[in-house]
Amino acid sequence: MKKTMVLGMVLVLGLTTYLLAPLTQKPSVALAGENQAASASSLQEQLKMLEASIVPQTAEDTVQLWAKAVQMRSGALQYALFTEQAKAGAKQSFESFHWATGASSPWVEGYKIVSGPEAAKDKYEVEFELMTSTGKYGTDRAIVGVAKIGNQCFIQSVAPASEKSVGIWNTPESINEPAIEKNFITMKTYDSTIGYRIQLPETIMNKIKIEQSTCKNEEGNPPCILFSYKDTVAKTEMPLGAVIRLSKEQEKLPYYQEHPFIKKIGENKLGTFYAMYPSEHPYAGKEDSAEGTEWLKVLEALQSRIGKSIPTSEK
């Protein structure tokens, strides 16, 4: 009888343990979720405290720090200095560009407060010195409004000082590119007879040789525009790239479908245009020479514009 009772107890205990085993796993999953939520909450609290700790107590210091953030292309630092209302208006734009502002060219070389605050308006005017790889690019100006909250000063508004402003403090989508071209540099246009047009800063255009030809090394010998850098020291031209026009039929050829060095840049009713650049630096071994450095700067300027000027009226 005792053996039967003991055996029964063992069976009951075994069954109970078996039934409880899955249940003991559920709290651990929930606990992991709670830990993750707590960790995320902790990070938010930490970020909030960090943001609050860097906001200066004087308006001028806040404006100076904001201008420094613009130079650093740091949307995160700009955002930390904003009032809650200003943050609400800027967050989506900052997030969409991973908290980066400005442009790779032109960039901010320096900045200074040129006026402010205006009478009883707490507004400052900030001037940014802009640069590109080819030299000075002019200045950009912003009107910055500051609000005192507690013992700290926050940015409550940022606006262009005039219609000529580029808006270098904005995310890339909001920078005023027409203002850059209209007010800061003189542009020159090259029009080909194959339906391709390119506009470049005059300082860059003067260093480039452009000729219309055919790409004899490519299948079908398509029409193309060849760009070369004028090396005034060696008195020769170094290749920068080419724009190739392909017909719809040529585009479908396996040769161009698998071509590793062409990139589509636009199209109109005359055809589709592709850019192609040298696979190697023509100044191999002398990349750091004055000519090698300038070749690269001219190439970068060309690449930034090569797909932006194709006539749209012919599409």
Side-chain angles (χ1 to χ4, degrees), residues 15 124 176 178 193 296:
L15 181 60
Y124 292 76
N176 189 352
T193 61
L296 183 59

Side-chain angles (χ1 to χ4, degrees), residues 23 35 38 54 56 92 110 132 152 158 163 178 195 202 214 222 260 284 314:
L23 297 177
N35 288 339
I54 64 174
Q92 184 176 355
T132 68
Q152 293 175 297
V158 179
E163 293 181 357
E202 186 175 27
T214 57
E314 297 182 1

Side-chain angles (χ1 to χ4, degrees), residues 199-267:
Q199 293 177 318
L200 288 165
E202 186 175 27
T203 54
I204 295 296
M205 190 72 87
N206 291 340
K207 296 174 183 178
I208 294 179
K209 178 181 179 182
I210 306 177
E211 56 182 331
Q212 186 172 313
S213 183
T214 57
C215 287
K216 297 178 181 179
N217 294 328
E218 306 300 328
E219 188 166 310
N221 298 332
C224 60
I225 308 299
L226 303 175
F227 298 89
S228 303
Y229 164 65
K230 298 176 183 177
D231 188 328
T232 56
V233 176
K235 296 183 179 179
T236 186
E237 287 88 32
M238 292 294 191
L240 286 165
V243 169
I244 304 172
R245 189 190 74 190
L246 299 179
S247 65
K248 295 296 182 183
E249 291 72 23
Q250 286 175 315
E251 281 188 285
K252 297 175 184 178
L253 294 175
Y255 176 85
Y256 290 108
Q257 290 285 321
E258 300 169 6
H259 201 300
F261 300 119
I262 62 172
K263 179 182 179 181
K264 184 176 178 179
I265 56 172
E267 60 184 298

